[in-house]
Amino acid sequence: MTFTSHDDLESIRQGIDKVDTAILELLAQRRSFSLRAARLKGAADAPSRDLLREGDLIADRITDALRYGIDASLVNTVWREIIDDSVRVQRQHLGRTEIDRRTLTIAIQGIEGSYSWLASRHFFAARGITEPIFVTSATFADAFAAVSAGRADVGMLPIENTTAGAISEVYDLLLESELHVIGDTRYRVRHCLLGIPGATVGGLRRIYAHPQAAAQCSDYLSRLDDCEVIVFGDTALSGREIARVGDPTVGAIASEEAAGLFGLEVLDAAVANRDHNYTRFIAVSPMPAAIPAGVPAKTSIVIAVGNHPGALVDALAVFTAADVNLIKLESRPIPDTPSDELFYLDFEGAVDDPAVAAMLDTLTSHVHFLKVLGSYPSRDLRPRPAPAASARSLRHAASVDQPASPAAAVGYRLGSRTHKGNNTVIEVGSIRLGEDPLVVIAGPCAVETWDQIMAAARAVKEGGGRLLRGGCFKPRTSPYSFQGLGFEGLEMLAEAGKAFGLPIVTEVTSPEDVPGVAARADVLQIGTRNMQNFSLLSAVGRSHRPVMLKRGMSSSLDEWLQAAEYILAEGNQQVFLCERGIRTFETSTRNTLDLSAVPVLMQRTHLPVIVDPSHAAGERSLVGPLARAAAAIGAHGIMVEIHPDPDNALSDGPQSLELDQFAQLMTSLGIGPAG
Ligand code: PEP
Ligand code: MN
């Protein structure tokens, strides 16, 4: 087709717009049919997904499309999306939290015939699902991703084995993912030696085996003469491989079921070192499990506790006090801070039991971090009383208001004094903010150059400061102002901190950056402009780093405490507050430092409170007096901006102290210089 004039192109574009509008109208119409179907399905208690019908429907559309000259792959892609949307709409309407019982897609690591495959079939067959559909993945991470992305309804993953122990990668994935544990099962692993029909044990020269399977059959394998063990990534795959090669001198260690699937023979069924070899698998899903009243249940959680004597015992005492039976405790290093440990716990009871919800609530005040992985029915436990209320997460637990508490009436609870009487202590290395005498945080507004941050870090250390600050992601009011050096700046800040033995604080401005910033920074700062960026607050709430939450420049104390509650409700209990001045009618200072916030907050919350006189004043000559006033009024710490060359600073130069002025300030506070 050729275009003869601009008008032609315009009218063609109008034509396209019209067609698109018609497509949108039709999509809306299709959705309304889906909703009507959902109502019928709800009334008939029918499943919201019918994979057979979905397959037929797409095949029909492809046949129709051919008549219009439309490509099959386009139709396939578009209709998959349309159907997924329709399933979502229906599930939402039905409020379905349970998984459909007739058709189920299960993501596993490994192929058909693997132990994950066998355990899944066994687990779901007992729940009436006899023909599940499998999505097979090469790695555990891919299996998790398949469920998160909606390509599978559930995932089934091994978490521990009686001989090999914990499968740490799966523990780490559980921590990061938003999936819920909805069930667990112990599956008996029975390794067999397989060969192609006609093969004999004596005739084998090579045996393919998964490293763990080889370890679990080491006694038997070492007794075989003239036979080499070849490591293979997956038990079932090793079976499939020897079937493909068809060589009678090659065997594999896999299950009897794998022999059946691949047309192999069991050459020896007693090859494992131990007769009793079990692997525990967990089922994960985007939706929490529905636990019928009275059915015994188990809950899995992850906690991080302080790094001081008694911290773990304190946390565990909460279980004893609540008469809750702890079933399992597993520890793993925290990925970003390997010197600290995360503890994975399983206990009897479900989060929708008010007694359990209350216990978890109490637990928050004894831990640094808490994440509920899920509650699920468990067969080998005693029956439990029927739950009276529903509380699936800390956030839900928190919304079960205590009417008597004034804090609940203003929208926060975990942060309130009523919830926790003693002060929260923020632990960063040897620093105990909230308990130590005035903790000073100092550094430049923004990390600019290597020399600049090193000079500032030296001054902080020599002055007796405890933490080094420096912005790398700068949320500037104007888009034309210096925006910070990003991760490159963070690298410099981390190096400077390391050089002078100072933990570092830096601001994070978007939820996507949280994992990257948390990997390097010891404390995450949320700035005034982001105090009510709720997705950012939730994201830092899922991290294990302490969070410094600055006051919104026009926020009330209760709004501020509710913002802190977003972080606490996600699980991170290491939060402290930073008063940095608010907007008032007064224009003589950049902001008005609200010092009365300090004692008022201390009445309302157990979270430590520090003061930033630099951003309040906006002018370096006022920083000293305001800092001393903050110390006098009982702030747990102060944060000041310093710069080796404030006149040429890329941001907040006028309020930044020269390095020797910082040294004088520290002396006037009775702190520095450090010996
Ligand atoms: C900062 O600390 O450099 C900063 C940007 O502070 P605030 O968010 O309080 O303006
Ligand atoms: Mn600044």
Side-chain angles (χ1 to χ4, degrees):
M1 191 191 298
T2 53
F3 301 114
T4 49
S5 74
H6 177 71
D7 276 354
D8 277 345
L9 183 55
E10 259 324 292
S11 62
I12 289 167
R13 284 184 174 155
Q14 281 170 9
I16 289 179
D17 287 348
K18 260 197 206 144
V19 171
D20 282 352
T21 310
I23 293 176
L24 286 176
E25 274 168 12
L26 290 172
L27 283 175
Q29 224 174 332
R30 197 182 190 285
R31 258 187 167 213
S32 73
F33 278 116
S34 295
L35 260 179
R36 279 162 61 186
R39 284 188 203 112
L40 284 182
K41 286 177 182 179
D45 199 23
S48 43
R49 187 144 219 186
D50 180 344
L51 289 171
L52 269 183
R53 168 163 157 77
E54 286 169 22
D56 289 350
L57 188 149
I58 291 183
D60 288 350
R61 298 302 172 266
I62 290 176
T63 316
D64 291 346
L66 293 178
R67 275 192 270 128
Y68 296 100
I70 296 175
D71 196 63
S73 78
L74 173 72
V75 175
N76 189 29
T77 315
V78 172
W79 260 268
R80 289 246 171 251
E81 288 294 328
I82 293 177
I83 289 172
D84 280 352
D85 177 67
S86 150
V87 170
R88 262 194 307 274
V89 166
Q90 296 198 1
R91 283 190 175 165
Q92 222 165 9
H93 169 82
L94 294 167
R96 288 259 164 99
T97 53
E98 90 284 17
I99 320 159
D100 279 343
R101 301 191 64 78
R102 258 168 265 176
T103 52
L104 184 79
T105 317
I106 308 172
I108 55 169
Q109 184 270 331
I111 60 166
E112 208 174 289
S114 64
Y115 288 110
S116 294
W117 184 82
L118 292 167
S120 304
R121 290 181 62 95
H122 176 79
F123 179 81
F124 286 105
R127 286 154 184 80
I129 301 158
T130 47
E131 293 298 332
I133 296 156
F134 283 89
V135 174
T136 57
S137 306
T139 63
F140 295 134
D142 287 347
F144 265 85
V147 185
S148 300
R151 293 193 301 278
D153 296 306
V154 293
M156 186 63 117
L157 295 123
I159 188 123
E160 65 184 322
N161 176 270
T162 36
T163 38
I167 297 161
S168 43
E169 195 188 334
V170 175
Y171 274 103
D172 294 348
L173 285 164
L174 265 180
L175 173 72
E176 286 155 27
S177 111
E178 308 231 327
L179 302 178
H180 303 259
V181 179
I182 57 158
D184 70 343
T185 183
R186 277 188 338 138
Y187 187 79
R188 184 160 177 197
V189 171
R190 292 174 212 253
H191 294 306
C192 299
L193 178 60
L194 311 183
I196 65 165
T200 60
V201 177
L204 295 179
R205 291 294 161 267
R206 272 179 297 158
I207 294 178
Y208 291 150
H210 183 276
Q212 272 184 9
Q216 290 162 18
C217 302
S218 56
D219 295 347
Y220 181 88
L221 291 174
S222 67
R223 284 198 300 271
L224 296 179
D225 296 326
D226 253 352
C227 189
E228 189 190 358
V229 176
I230 296 181
V231 166
F232 223 81
D234 183 303
T235 42
L237 262 184
S238 55
R240 194 170 76 181
E241 180 60 14
I242 66 160
R244 193 186 65 81
V245 173
D247 180 344
T249 66
V250 187
I253 302 282
S255 65
E256 187 182 343
E257 290 83 351
L261 277 168
F262 304 126
L264 299 171
E265 271 172 16
V266 174
L267 306 184
D268 203 330
V271 297
N273 299 358
R274 285 202 215 173
D275 201 22
H276 291 278
N277 183 7
Y278 287 91
T279 297
R280 181 172 162 237
F281 288 83
I282 49 161
V284 293
S285 145
M287 293 168 286
I291 308 170
V295 168
K298 218 193 246 186
T299 297
S300 299
I301 63 170
V302 189
I303 59 169
V305 299
N307 204 346
H308 57 265
L312 179 60
V313 173
D314 275 355
L316 297 184
V318 174
F319 290 84
T320 318
D323 196 23
V324 168
N325 186 23
L326 255 183
I327 306 167
K328 185 176 166 57
L329 174 65
E330 180 77 37
S331 87
R332 291 272 313 132
I334 299 181
D336 298 333
T337 44
S339 56
D340 292 336
E341 293 282 321
L342 283 167
F343 298 96
Y344 288 79
L345 293 93
D346 290 348
F347 60 84
E348 231 175 278
V351 288
D352 63 0
D353 175 344
V356 171
M359 182 206 65
L360 287 176
D361 215 42
T362 309
L363 189 59
T364 57
S365 50
H366 295 263
V367 299
H368 284 184
F369 175 82
L370 167 62
K371 178 179 176 186
V372 176
L373 299 174
S375 290
Y376 42 94
S378 183
R379 302 198 158 188
D380 34 43
L381 299 172
R382 57 192 148 117
R384 64 191 188 115
S390 173
R392 295 217 173 279
S393 71
L394 284 180
R395 186 177 305 181
H396 287 115
S399 68
V400 184
D401 279 349
Q402 303 164 328
S405 144
V410 291
Y412 61 90
R413 208 171 49 82
L414 297 172
S416 72
R417 275 272 176 222
T418 4
H419 172 67
K420 183 178 174 186
N422 51 344
N423 286 349
T424 282
V425 175
I426 307 294
E427 291 186 56
V428 190
S430 63
I431 302 164
R432 294 178 59 79
L433 177 66
E435 199 176 77
D436 286 351
L438 195 76
V439 170
V440 176
I441 306 173
C445 179
V447 176
E448 297 169 3
T449 64
W450 174 245
D451 289 346
Q452 173 241 21
I453 192 63
M454 284 297 280
R458 175 183 298 279
V460 175
K461 186 68 184 184
E462 288 177 356
R466 309 283 302 278
L467 286 111
L468 175 66
R469 66 148 286 152
C472 304
F473 299 89
K474 296 303 298 176
R476 303 304 297 278
T477 303
S478 162
Y480 306 118
S481 304
F482 173 59
Q483 305 285 311
L485 298 182
F487 284 104
E488 205 186 317
L490 181 52
E491 216 42 53
M492 295 200 258
L493 181 67
E495 285 300 318
K498 210 157 79 190
F500 291 96
L502 294 166
I504 58 168
V505 188
T506 201
E507 180 164 355
V508 56
T509 51
S510 82
E512 309 84 76
D513 287 343
V514 171
V517 174
R520 284 312 251 145
D522 300 285
V523 176
L524 306 176
Q525 168 175 337
I526 302 291
T528 193
R529 291 160 192 80
N530 275 316
M531 191 203 82
Q532 286 186 319
N533 180 340
F534 300 119
S535 55
L536 181 61
L537 296 175
S538 298
V540 296
R542 289 190 289 272
S543 113
H544 323 296
R545 295 292 193 182
V547 177
M548 175 172 77
L549 179 64
K550 296 189 98 176
R551 180 179 185 176
M553 60 182 94
S554 303
S555 298
S556 69
L557 298 184
D558 281 337
E559 284 164 346
W560 190 6
L561 289 169
Q562 288 172 76
E565 193 78 5
Y566 268 89
I567 306 171
L568 300 170
E570 272 319 308
N572 190 346
Q573 307 302 305
Q574 290 271 284
V575 178
F576 63 105
L577 306 167
C578 176
E579 161 64 37
R580 48 80 69 201
I582 49 174
R583 284 271 163 94
T584 66
F585 52 82
E586 181 54 69
T587 53
S588 311
T589 48
R590 184 178 177 186
N591 292 283
T592 299
L593 183 60
D594 181 12
L595 274 183
S596 54
V598 177
V600 175
L601 285 172
M602 286 181 183
Q603 287 171 1
R604 295 189 188 173
T605 182
H606 51 83
L607 303 174
V609 183
I610 73 163
V611 170
D612 167 358
S614 306
H615 289 86
E619 148 64 42
R620 81 177 65 100
S621 66
L622 302 174
V623 170
L626 293 179
R628 286 186 288 276
I633 208 163
H636 295 112
I638 57 166
M639 178 165 83
V640 293
E641 285 186 343
I642 64 171
H643 198 287
D645 181 12
D647 292 340
N648 290 304
L650 295 180
S651 63
D652 287 350
Q655 72 197 30
S656 299
L657 297 179
E658 312 245 6
L659 303 186
D660 57 341
Q661 291 175 324
F662 173 67
Q664 286 156 22
L665 168 66
M666 294 300 273
T667 310
S668 78
L669 289 168
I671 299 176

